[in-house]
Amino acid sequence: MKKILTLMAAALLIGCSSDDNNDEPVKPVENTDGKTLVVYFNGPMPDGVDASTGATPVVNGMSATQFVAQQIADQTEADIHHITVADGYYPIVYQELADFANKEKADGTHPALTSRLENLGDYKNIFIGTPVWWYTVPMPIYSFLDAYDLSGKNVMLFTTHEGSGLADAVSVVQREEPGASVSTSGFHTRGNQAGSQASAIANWLNGLGFTK
């Protein structure tokens, strides 16, 4: 019974609500000229939850979101930036993390970031990656959008999840960054399948118009 409850909590945190494919035609980005940056957030790997069912599955020593971010950076020769909060801000015990993230979402708390970008103006293309927590993007994504004006930039979204696809990632960024050109052709993968997605990521990037 305890294991069943833990898995139910895992499903709530990472989200299970929609299909898991990237079969819709990718709409090309109008102009991809200029430097590219990959930005991503990932939470802790909670204690007591294995890699196939946890909120942050591990792939080759990296979180699933970090793995996808690195794949995108490698395939587009982009720079990469890790969105971080203070060490210990999020609990690592699974149920505590789930409860904390749910309250943070309900309260609309935008946590302080410990990462900082000094040269955002150098970039034209911004990929933003995130896990899906409680059917939406984690609140540090809001903190990042609070801190930086992405007006005039191309923004592409990618998520790792366990059933929620892109969730509301596109609409969140469209709402928070009205001056940005936000692609509706995002990429998503189940966290426990991220390690096998290199070709799918390449196809997505090619469809957007990004090549080395």
Side-chain angles (χ1 to χ4, degrees), residues 58-131:
V58 175
V59 182
N60 295 345
M62 295 180 280
S63 75
T65 309
Q66 181 184 5
F67 180 83
V68 175
Q70 192 62 60
Q71 286 286 315
I72 294 169
D74 290 346
Q75 294 188 34
T76 61
E77 297 183 341
D79 295 330
I80 195 163
H81 174 74
H82 185 195
I83 299 171
T84 59
V85 296
D87 288 344
Y89 176 80
Y90 286 111
I92 60 173
V93 176
Y94 189 84
Q95 189 58 56
E96 293 178 10
L97 172 61
D99 292 344
F100 186 96
N102 195 29
K103 185 176 188 304
E104 185 178 54
K105 172 191 170 186
D107 293 345
T109 302
H110 298 186
L113 302 182
T114 54
S115 53
R116 183 167 179 79
L117 270 171
E118 301 291 350
N119 59 339
L120 184 66
D122 295 347
Y123 300 98
K124 174 64 175 179
N125 309 301
I126 312 292
F127 287 88
I128 300 177
T130 178

Side-chain angles (χ1 to χ4, degrees), residues 156-197:
M156 290 66 59
L157 284 304
F158 62 97
T159 66
T160 58
H161 62 94
E162 291 304 326
S164 290
L166 286 171
D168 61 353
V170 171
S171 61
V172 166
V173 178
Q174 287 175 329
R175 183 179 67 246
E176 299 296 315
E177 298 284 350
S181 178
V182 182
S183 174
T184 58
S185 299
F187 180 85
H188 58 86
T189 178
R190 290 179 183 267
N192 59 7
Q193 297 175 2
S196 63
Q197 296 300 305

